[in-house]
Amino acid sequence: MTRTSVTSILNEPLIFERSAPGKSAYSLPRLDVEDVPVEEILDSKYLRTEVRGFPEVSEVELIRHFTRLSTWNYHIDLGMYPLGSCTMKYNPKLNERVARIPSIALTHPLQEEQHSQGSLEILFRLQECLKELTAMDAVSLQPAGGAQAELIGILMIRAHLTQKGSPRKFVLIPDSAHGTNPASAVLAGYEVISIPSDKKGRIDVKVMAEKMSEEVACLMLTNPNTMGIFETHIEEIAQIVHQKGGLIYMDGANFNALMGYARPGEMGIDVLHLNLHKTFSTPHGGGGPGSGPVVCKEHLAPYLPVPRIEQEGERYRLNSDKPESVGRVHSFHGNFGMAVRALCYILSCGREGLKELSEMAVLSANYIRRRLEGHYELPYDTDILHEVVFSDKKQHKNGVTTQDIAKRLIDYGFHPPTTYFPLIVQGALMIEPTESHSKEELDAFIDAMIAISREARDDPEKVLSAPATAKLTRLDEVRAARSAILRWEP
Amino acid sequence: MTRTSVTSILNEPLIFERSAPGKSAYSLPRLDVEDVPVEEILDSKYLRTEVRGFPEVSEVELIRHFTRLSTWNYHIDLGMYPLGSCTMKYNPKLNERVARIPSIALTHPLQEEQHSQGSLEILFRLQECLKELTAMDAVSLQPAGGAQAELIGILMIRAHLTQKGSPRKFVLIPDSAHGTNPASAVLAGYEVISIPSDKKGRIDVKVMAEKMSEEVACLMLTNPNTMGIFETHIEEIAQIVHQKGGLIYMDGANFNALMGYARPGEMGIDVLHLNLHKTFSTPHGGGGPGSGPVVCKEHLAPYLPVPRIEQEGERYRLNSDKPESVGRVHSFHGNFGMAVRALCYILSCGREGLKELSEMAVLSANYIRRRLEGHYELPYDTDILHEVVFSDKKQHKNGVTTQDIAKRLIDYGFHPPTTYFPLIVQGALMIEPTESHSKEELDAFIDAMIAISREARDDPEKVLSAPATAKLTRLDEVRAARSAILRWEP
Amino acid sequence: MRYVSITPEEKRLMLKATGVDRVEDLFATIPENLRLSKTLDIPEAASETDILKYFHSLGRKNASAEDFEYFLGAGAYNHFIPTVIDSVISRSEFYTSYTPYQPEVSQGTLQATFEFQTLICQLTGMEVANASLYDGGSALAEGVLMAVRTTRRQKVLVAQSVHPEYRRVLETYAANLDIQLQELPFTESGCVDVEALERLVSEDHAAVVIQSPNFFGVLDDVEQAIGLTQSVGALSVVVVSEAISLGLLKPPGELGADIVVGEGQSLGIPLGFGGPYLGLFASKDKYKRQMPGRLVGQTVDSEGRQGYVLTLATREQHIRRQKATSNICTNQGLCALVATVFMSVLGKQGIRELAEQNLKKAFHLRKLLGDSLVFSGATFNEMVVECSEDPAEINRHLVSEGIIGGLPLGRYFPDRSNQMLVCVTEQNSLEKINRLAEALTSVKVTL
Amino acid sequence: MRYVSITPEEKRLMLKATGVDRVEDLFATIPENLRLSKTLDIPEAASETDILKYFHSLGRKNASAEDFEYFLGAGAYNHFIPTVIDSVISRSEFYTSYTPYQPEVSQGTLQATFEFQTLICQLTGMEVANASLYDGGSALAEGVLMAVRTTRRQKVLVAQSVHPEYRRVLETYAANLDIQLQELPFTESGCVDVEALERLVSEDHAAVVIQSPNFFGVLDDVEQAIGLTQSVGALSVVVVSEAISLGLLKPPGELGADIVVGEGQSLGIPLGFGGPYLGLFASKDKYKRQMPGRLVGQTVDSEGRQGYVLTLATREQHIRRQKATSNICTNQGLCALVATVFMSVLGKQGIRELAEQNLKKAFHLRKLLGDSLVFSGATFNEMVVECSEDPAEINRHLVSEGIIGGLPLGRYFPDRSNQMLVCVTEQNSLEKINRLAEALTSVKVTL
Ligand SMILES: Cc1ncc(COP(=O)(O)O)c(C=O)c1O
Ligand SMILES: Cc1ncc(COP(=O)(O)O)c(C=O)c1O
């Protein structure tokens, strides 16, 4: 058993391999009711003998197991995590503390309204803040993520159009859009028409205008888009779509670029979603949970999921009496815990603070762009806001790809950017710094990127063989998919 | 700026070097009283212009700074930490949670008794448990550590003897004792007479008997002693000392070996201390805080520090009316937070659990001894309890010392044992596993020790140049002491 | 602004390097008329002290399990949460990291998720489980969609005893994919009406959905239902909303279920006013390439060392876009970690002992309730009671005694306005259980 | 037993390897008659749930700053504690590690401690600071012992306005080292009686000890006292019990103090019923080799990389044994880390703003109290009031209004039984400050 790094034990096995009969990490109170044998309560046909394979470990081993695993993760508290489109900003500790206040964390979703006034106020106030930030009229916090919000938003559009006669058949989606957009449109019963981007990296308005018809339910756009570019023709676009009786759905994943500067409600957007786990600092948790509030104009409000949270004088109530609602997407009120954190964040930052966040996020992205544009290919020279997309064109000559550059960054102590997205850029390197980092950290990242571009030229092998310092070298994804070992077997 | 390990950023500078004017990590409420200029309140002669040098960083930078630093530490939650005499056992998370309950953590030491009944009950119940575990009659939880408890214990002996006529002049201390013992004796106004150990590693009773006289205030022994060996002649020893009117102080740092098996009060001990941060699982915190309850027999009780905690029916009170008390050693009630954790631990383990802890601690130590005795020199073949001391005699032939072996263990992913203590063993390697580890972890440690003994023979260079995987290689301690740079300067 | 790390001076330097004078200039790409002129109508920044005061004051407007004993379940259960869980998930290595798209620096999350998938397989008796979905409701919807995909059939039978809110979520998802949802009634035992099932199910059915313990707490006739379902080539989808029950009850997998979906909240996740919870999704191995959501698989690195990666990604939207098996992207990762730690803490003995305590405490109540029980079927830790007076009234009395009563069934079943769904867990005390029984039956308990 | 990781089977194997049959045999080395035969009279193991219930019930028997506004200071202060502190110290890397005797695997603790030493130097204006002592009381004792060591003189003058409990601890430490402690009176301003000092101090004195702000909250005449002290070759020991005051007040170092000792609780450490707190110890550079406690120093590793180690260890008991400068071993390491994070969070501006808020809020009270003030001297955030009735009585009234009043001075100064020492921090609200003033003066506050 050799272990190669002192602050990180590298050979911790699966929890099942730590298990041995007789060890335990739990304790339960003594049973205070009559101890009737299980068999006298339930017919044996209902009973299993044991949960085969379940581990048995002591508390010490359990803590060590997960502590060791944790040291194999890169994380925001360690350094810059410039994943484009993911808005990996600092997750304030105060949010975490507030979300754990027992009287907030331990309430039941079905308990009487009068016993939930605190929780309902949190939801209501957050909705009000989001309305003000977006200049929209109504909100539902029920969607558990952006993708689910997209589904709901399109279903609302569908309901609206159905009422006006026909749900229509198509949804227009730019080719730079995130994969969830087309997937959600299809789930809502539509077919997708892809709209190309122009050479500036924006929606090609001409093509869009051609594709737009009475058969198109809506245009689904991201603004700023996944290139970090603002859709300057948004008003014209909206007009074209609205003229044909269509609506506009805005994917608000990039809202971190706009706070205090521009509001979707004033651009002709009919409905959009926000990602509390991006713009509003709730932690990504290694994949989730997130929260995707859907925010809409008055004319779509009747179709929002139920229950709606309403204020009556001093009191808050849940109103499910909305006959036109598209229904529920969540068993209860959505990811409430994320709403608590987001409200805490908004109140902590305040109106000036939120604006400053967007400013620093945009400044940081532009600073990186300027300092790196000589070293990496910039597919579009259009102005950007909160993120910048480079490509591996320059390095490709030496056989170094985006993948290689990303892995090499790990050796420099940074998490790689988003790679190979958006699809309209070959070998895309999508960098979103957010507002969280000091100039020192940004410069360190930039220097690393420059050093890698040099290595790609002078010593490609170094880049191709990266990472050299991670727990593992590159993993065999093909083999993983082929053998598809998805669980441990004894 | 190069960083060499992904899960640990290795070049984080001092917080002062991260500082830049205008950054901040704090927030304070707006002042709600009249904002009178400071100068109108205080004469300028009282005022400083600024706290020169104080850092200015953002919250993100602050969190990253300390997170990065943290990854440079080895810790119990990562792996085995076999420091002899330090009892590095697992620190239960439940203790930490309980100690943070606001109504327990946020009480003022000087608030009225009737508002502190919960806190006083914690202190009282812990005292009762410690009395039962040791078979002694009275306790003070005031000493903030073992060393301070030693001072108090000897002062109590001194007060007692003074009352009986003379404080006497000397304190007998075995040469295997911990450094705090003689230091505390001197602080209490005594001179130290060192007692040699016999060839079994125990107090040489003959010599001790010769040195014992009417001039000797007490014998200060550790049982089991720092070799992990039980002082089997304890009763005889006590008799000799008592006959000459002296008393016996027991250093209870090794009490983790005895719980449920033997009680100092039944061995003729007059006063002893326990270390809550050893036997009772309170965390070592990178050096402290600890807590050193002093536990004594009835005849020494009047001299305990004040205030004493007493029970009157349902209520608890603080009694400072003890004219014979040696006085205070702490501004308030000692390290209360450690008492909370220790009581939580005792109640969690229960009577059987505590006994099992000692059993597993002793079993683990003996298991290590048996498996390593062929590979490392065992200076004494006496039976041991909770810890085992080897020496580097075998490896010394190849120029490999205890120091080298310790550093090499780091490369194997373990914290080194205590080295060069006790002083009676040349190149001592003092191993105390505690009860916390699985057999797997113990075997991994043993295998590493065996591998190192082989390396010492076949490839000494590897051992001499260790550690190879830590953040730093060996540090220059001579230079540190010579240049004595004890603070950062701009 | 403590969440920003750039000083005025650094800002100046960065603007200079970027070639603009003022930060506002960077937003010039936004058309003038779209730029916000007013300041946002949001409060000024609040201090940490004020924030804590405010949220504590909100907490005082809630009733919570901190001060009340809950007999309210119905899909959200007040179970014991081991302290170590928060110690683990509070490590920023876990909670501040992103989806493990870069496996070399995400092995912690990946291995833990692989352990989660395994634990869920063991608990449900299934062959594969994914890395989580949003919650029980959407998990059911995804399960039905998967059945429709694989069978290429459009009809689905859903038992009325499946959690009503899950059914509503399913309706929302199915609404525009021309899937016909048909209701399957239950008998006075509370189990699905097997005759009706036999009568209704056909070659046109993609799936039959039942839940056990079902919404009424009754252990349903899973085995028989599965048999009838599969006899016509439909897939059997079994819903579990109280995961703790699987510590004791025969798992759907053993009984032949094709797809198991459910809610994992019971596995260490706080009530949290309904979320974040944990959508569970497991199936037979042969359906794995039809699964929604992320999957972690085992592989090796270029030096042959074992490791884990996200796999079978061609099912997912970021690769397959509109042809994806689901639109889900962000899932409930950290909740899956919570459940992983919870199941590891309890382990083989603990999960059983916990389940037994729930069963036995609930059985104690069941005995006290006698004939007030509405359904005759066997139950785990929930049961429906015919109340002596309006359930809401009863709850109002109970609150004053520090008890949050059960769920008035009228909310979902208007014809059952005098009935209450009550839940008993290991957190409930003998004393309060007796009190509840008295309040429900207005018969004094003498023990 | 969840804190033990050895299974019965492994136990058997280990016993076998060890060559004994039963665990009891390993204790055979303890003489038969000394082995405990009875089982301990300690409760059986309690479950986590029961433990939490029990300690919460104990908490309910306390008044705490969670529910009350405190005007009680006197050496323990209710200050704001930034949330990030607990996030940092809850990392097991910090709180479960030992004293950094092995520097290669302890650089985190070592660098943080080096930062602590620097911050304390900056705050106090001194040249060197150690890694912490137990608390303010023992820090004072160690300071005096150090002065005695360095001057080889045995007399020490201690101001009566030094915290009474610190003085008692000093007495305990000094009792048997024939050190003569003499009291130094104070004037009606509350400051040390400088004439008396001039009269009493002599070539026989090792040190003169004063505190500022002193126990009565009064800013003492530090500079003059230091001058007189050093004029006879004695060392000036200055005590600080309210560290926040140094955010605003001229530090003892600037005024020439030789040794500064004090209590660091105000720097982010919870009231905690009196501990664990943080003993501060700083001095002029020339005395560093006489210092008690641990010191971290900067050095390089064998490859020339900068690093930190425990240094000047020859002062300490584990090397020097009875000749050590102190017997202290375990110190208050984690509390020093708390203070390090606290000072870093507040930084240059924050520490000043915090100190100003304390001063201004206290000044508001001071204005309201007018002639009821006992001492004329300038104050920071504490002051002594002559009460309209028995202070204890007043406190009893205040409790009913959610206020914990000040300290009845009679406890330490019998002749001042009608006086109360009150403290105002940034945590106190205008409303409650006014209420306090009313209660103390029985004059209605109208603002
Ligand atoms: C542009 C964009 N749209 C939509 C999504 C989907 O949001 P979620 O992951 O919350 O479902 C993402 C998140 O990755 C995104 O970046
Ligand atoms: C045997 C022994 N005695 C005394 C002490 C001193 O105890 P403390 O560090 O709590 O002052 C120790 C701790 O290292 C010890 O091991």
Side-chain angles (χ1 to χ4, degrees), chain A residues 1-9 13 17-19 23 58-61 63-65 67-68 70-81 88 90-94 410-414 436-438 440-441 444-445 447 469-471, chain B residues 1-9 13 17-19 23 58-61 63-65 67-68 70-81 88 90-94 410-414 436-438 440-441 444-445 447 469-471:
Chain A
M1 186 182 191
T2 78
R3 322 202 240 188
T4 69
S5 163
V6 64
T7 46
S8 163
I9 304 296
E17 297 163 328
R18 276 244 166 275
S19 172
K23 287 189 280 194
S58 72
E59 183 172 319
V60 196
E61 289 176 291
I63 286 293
R64 283 190 177 157
H65 176 75
T67 302
R68 291 170 178 182
S70 76
T71 62
W72 305 342
N73 276 0
Y74 193 91
H75 54 117
I76 293 181
D77 285 3
L78 190 68
M80 189 166 162
Y81 211 128
M88 296 298 282
Y90 172 64
N91 308 137
K93 306 304 176 189
L94 183 59
I410 292 172
D411 291 331
Y412 281 90
F414 294 93
S436 299
H437 311 288
S438 63
E440 246 175 311
E441 185 79 3
F445 171 76
D447 295 345
T469 61
K471 177 180 189 273
Chain B
M1 184 181 189
T2 78
R3 323 202 241 189
T4 68
S5 164
V6 65
T7 46
S8 161
I9 304 296
E17 297 164 328
R18 276 242 167 276
S19 173
K23 287 190 279 194
S58 72
E59 183 171 318
V60 195
E61 289 175 291
I63 286 292
R64 282 187 180 160
H65 176 74
T67 302
R68 291 170 179 183
S70 75
T71 62
W72 306 340
N73 275 2
Y74 193 91
H75 54 115
I76 294 181
D77 286 2
L78 191 66
M80 189 167 163
Y81 211 128
M88 297 297 283
Y90 172 64
N91 308 137
K93 306 304 174 189
L94 183 60
I410 292 172
D411 292 332
Y412 281 89
F414 294 94
S436 299
H437 311 288
S438 62
E440 245 176 310
E441 187 79 2
F445 171 77
D447 295 344
T469 61
K471 178 181 188 271

Side-chain angles (χ1 to χ4, degrees), chain A residues 26 46 48 111 132 328 473, chain C residues 38 70 172 246 302 353:
Chain A
Y26 79 98
Y46 292 118
R48 77 195 297 172
Q111 69 192 41
E132 171 64 13
R328 273 193 173 276
T473 56
Chain C
K38 69 158 206 164
Y70 277 62
T172 308
L246 293 177
S302 62
E353 186 178 337

